Amino acid sequence: MSVQQLSRALTTATADRTGDDAIQAIAAAYIGFVREHPGLYEASFHAPDREEPQLAAASTATLELLLHSLQPYPLTEADALHAVRGLRSLCHGFASIEAQGGFGMNFDPDESLRLTVSAFLHGLRHLHQD
């Protein structure tokens, strides 16, 4: 199932990584998965049915992986959950725009992703420093 495949890809990407490196690897693996499996991704892009134990387990594993990867940042539990949503939205939006041919300019999309995730991470580090 695609949710499980994506979860495995993200888990593999974060092996031996922490902090910014882990989050950058998650974003790159997410986009890579969508590039390799666009149909599977689109078919699975919804909240998993909690009645399906395998899908629920994969979803929970992914959430736990993301929360663990966000531990180095000064986030409350609620902030971390919002950050997971934000990262997911960032990756999904990037993947959707790319899949629709929206990145027509002559710039490396992987570099655009890296810079965008860096800005996201900078925001997380400074979230409560107003």
Side-chain angles (χ1 to χ4, degrees):
M1 298 188 165
S2 60
V3 174
Q4 293 163 312
Q5 289 174 320
L6 177 58
S7 181
R8 281 192 299 271
L10 300 181
T11 300
T12 300
T14 59
D16 301 323
R17 292 187 163 106
T18 60
D20 288 9
D21 191 35
I23 302 298
Q24 288 284 358
I26 286 168
Y30 190 108
I31 300 304
F33 179 84
V34 177
R35 286 173 180 163
E36 290 178 35
H37 310 287
L40 277 177
Y41 175 76
E42 285 300 320
S44 70
F45 191 76
H46 55 78
D49 181 354
R50 293 291 173 189
E51 301 296 317
E52 286 286 331
Q54 290 178 324
L55 294 178
S59 179
T60 298
T62 300
L63 176 61
E64 289 173 359
L65 172 74
L66 293 170
L67 291 172
H68 177 76
S69 297
L70 290 167
Q71 284 181 345
Y73 304 93
L75 304 172
T76 65
E77 184 178 339
D79 289 341
L81 290 169
H82 289 302
V84 167
R85 282 184 173 176
L87 182 60
R88 183 178 181 215
S89 298
L90 185 154
C91 290
H92 175 72
F94 191 97
S96 294
I97 292 168
E98 185 176 64
Q100 297 297 315
F103 295 145
M105 295 169 62
N106 191 22
F107 286 95
D108 179 8
D110 293 331
E111 181 65 7
S112 296
L113 178 64
R114 190 191 66 72
L115 289 171
T116 302
V117 173
S118 290
F120 173 79
L121 295 173
H122 178 79
L124 291 183
R125 283 191 293 279
H126 298 92
L127 189 61
H128 296 289
Q129 295 181 356
D130 294 344

